[in-house]
Amino acid sequence: EKGTYSHYMMKEIEEQPFVIRKIMSEYSDEKGQMCMDSSIIDNVRNCDKLYIIACGTSYHAGLIGKQFFEKISDKPTEVVIASEFIYNMPLLTKNPLFMFISQSGETADCRAVLVKVKEMGYRTLTLTNVKGSTLSRESDNTLLLYAGPEIAVASTKAYTAQIAVLSILSSLVNNKININIFKELSKIAYTMETLCDDKENYKELAEKYLVNSRNCFYIGRSMDYFVCLEASLKLKEISYIQTEGFAAGELKHGTIALIEQNTPVIAVITQECINLNTRSNIKEVKARGAATMVISMRSLSQETDEIVIDDINELLAPLATIIPTQYLAYYAALLKNCDIDKPRNLAKSVTVE
Ligand code: F6R
């Protein structure tokens, strides 16, 4: 039920802090310690490479998951778009594990890969929001997202749930950097709430930057780049503004030619190591007429930054950074009178290849 919300998407955006807390309670033991099915942990621990297969928003969560598995667990990981895997299979290692990430658990592109790798005799694991879904039934193991039903076509809370579950799994597999995931997630749930409280700001920014624009760019580096890919998918799919997420350093290699007077360019800066370089990319596009907006983390922020996020762990920052971008998409679509919960040409679960 939508309750007092005018759209499911808004409701689902604002449920995200609760979903993070729900995931923490579902994946903890009676002492409050993080835990998951030990056979799942062992399967990830024992494989020589993890292959993450997904589509759309779930693929974007997978890109962040790869960073967790490689940086936290020391496990080589490759993320492959499901519909590409069939024709362009990467050279597989001897003992791979296939992880499917799918909110619905019904996506045909993922299922085609699942059928194929099962035929090849490999182990499979599905992360899904839907208990008893096809992918869940057909793979060896399942991890549930506990996000509650996601009704709006544009995925929001399933994305953050996927990232949260991936962070927990990766640290249980092997926590070589000694990150305290639960402590960080609790902090992030609170940060998410404060970000949701700032929605009037996002509405004004959507009005100023986006409503009258034909196109838009999100730019960022490293973790921020992956967030930019998801932020741009959200904006384009519900507001129909053509939006691309770009690695900030790649702009000058061609795409900067598209910047015109007032083209909106939204930069994301949540990691210290990329701050200065992304800032100089902002200057480059500004000099060519772009209307720039910055989303930054407090300790890296400058006075003129439009959206500032309280300091949180840099690896987990995408969980919070994505929130203002979900609202920007929501308000851009609202102000353009688009059908927010049911954008044109799209279906909630894609059951054809
Ligand atoms: C975008 C969106 C889609 C889905 C994609 C995969 O907002 O929702 O890109 O993420 O169709 O769907 P699932 O996760 O159900 O496999």
Side-chain angles (χ1 to χ4, degrees):
E1 252 314 298
K2 267 195 304 214
T4 54
Y5 291 95
S6 48
H7 298 92
Y8 281 107
M9 184 180 179
M10 176 65 96
K11 174 173 181 270
E12 290 162 6
I13 290 174
E14 305 208 335
E15 280 171 350
Q16 289 175 110
F18 306 99
V19 172
I20 297 297
R21 293 187 182 114
K22 168 83 174 156
I23 288 170
M24 288 168 62
S25 80
E26 291 291 339
Y27 288 111
S28 56
D29 62 17
E30 56 288 350
K31 290 189 195 125
Q33 300 290 315
M34 212 165 51
C35 78
M36 270 176 183
D37 182 337
S38 60
S39 66
I40 295 178
I41 298 172
D42 287 342
N43 284 347
V44 181
R45 222 174 250 160
N46 296 334
C47 73
D48 60 359
K49 188 164 182 178
L50 188 58
Y51 291 85
I52 297 179
I53 312 291
C55 312
T57 291
S58 299
Y59 170 73
H60 295 153
L63 293 173
I64 291 174
K66 171 186 159 88
Q67 304 306 313
F68 295 161
F69 288 109
E70 296 201 333
K71 298 196 166 79
I72 300 174
S73 344
D74 216 10
K75 181 66 65 184
T77 304
E78 187 165 344
V79 198
V80 189
I81 293 174
S83 59
E84 284 293 306
F85 183 93
I86 301 287
Y87 315 100
N88 215 347
M89 197 186 308
L91 185 61
L92 301 179
T93 52
K94 280 206 183 68
N95 187 23
L97 173 67
F98 284 86
M99 179 194 283
F100 297 84
I101 306 181
S102 174
Q103 187 285 131
S104 63
E106 300 297 341
T107 302
D109 291 320
C110 288
R111 176 149 194 273
V113 180
L114 176 65
V115 169
K116 180 157 185 130
V117 300
K118 273 174 66 174
E119 266 167 25
M120 295 165 83
Y122 296 128
R123 278 187 186 283
T124 55
L125 163 66
T126 289
L127 256 72
T128 182
N129 202 25
V130 183
K131 206 175 166 177
S133 57
T134 307
L135 291 175
S136 167
R137 279 186 280 111
E138 296 183 359
S139 38
D140 297 323
N141 294 99
T142 298
L143 283 173
L144 290 174
L145 300 174
Y146 299 107
E150 192 181 62
I151 310 291
V153 164
S155 182
T156 52
K157 62 178 179 173
Y159 170 78
T160 42
Q162 287 160 349
I163 294 174
V165 171
L166 288 165
S167 72
I168 294 172
L169 175 61
S170 67
S171 72
L172 287 170
V173 166
N174 175 17
N175 189 353
K176 72 161 180 175
I177 59 170
N178 278 323
I179 184 173
N180 185 334
I181 293 287
F182 268 18
K183 188 170 143 228
E184 303 298 344
L185 288 179
S186 309
K187 216 167 137 187
I188 283 168
Y190 176 76
T191 304
M192 284 174 153
E193 280 167 355
T194 62
L195 288 167
C196 291
D197 289 340
D198 204 21
K199 61 183 168 220
E200 281 308 310
N201 180 30
Y202 314 138
K203 187 174 183 184
E204 282 167 25
L205 292 168
E207 194 156 13
K208 180 172 164 204
Y209 284 86
L210 301 175
V211 175
N212 297 313
S213 296
R214 220 166 21 97
N215 57 357
C216 172
F217 292 94
Y218 268 100
I219 62 167
R221 289 167 184 256
S222 187
M223 300 303 282
D224 296 330
Y225 165 52
F226 304 126
V227 173
C228 287
L229 294 177
E230 172 57 12
S232 75
L233 178 59
K234 222 71 325 174
L235 181 58
K236 76 177 93 167
E237 73 178 323
I238 63 167
S239 75
Y240 315 137
I241 297 167
Q242 184 168 10
T243 312
E244 297 309 326
F246 244 84
E250 270 293 289
L251 274 184
K252 59 182 174 295
H253 298 290
T255 307
I256 201 165
L258 293 173
I259 304 293
E260 296 175 347
Q261 204 56 39
N262 289 327
T263 304
V265 176
I266 307 174
V268 179
I269 301 178
T270 68
Q271 304 147 92
E272 199 175 355
C273 62
I274 55 83
N275 188 15
L276 296 181
N277 279 339
T278 302
R279 297 265 175 207
S280 70
N281 299 132
I282 297 170
K283 286 202 191 99
E284 286 158 11
V285 292
K286 217 172 178 165
R288 288 156 180 88
T292 57
M293 185 201 301
V294 180
I295 303 175
S296 62
M297 204 134 86
R298 176 105 35 223
S299 56
L300 309 172
S301 66
Q302 297 186 353
E303 230 174 286
T304 50
D305 292 354
E306 282 76 7
I307 298 173
V308 175
I309 300 169
D310 288 335
D311 284 5
I312 44 175
N313 181 283
E314 291 187 359
L315 261 182
L316 298 179
L319 286 166
T321 328
I322 200 63
I323 295 207
T325 74
Q326 293 169 341
Y327 277 109
L328 288 171
Y330 175 88
Y331 284 119
L334 184 74
L335 295 164
K336 290 184 72 178
N337 277 318
C338 301
D339 190 348
I340 293 179
D341 285 339
K342 285 200 173 62
R344 68 186 181 207
N345 310 342
L346 292 172
K348 183 66 186 163
S349 67
V350 185
T351 51
V352 290
E353 274 178 62

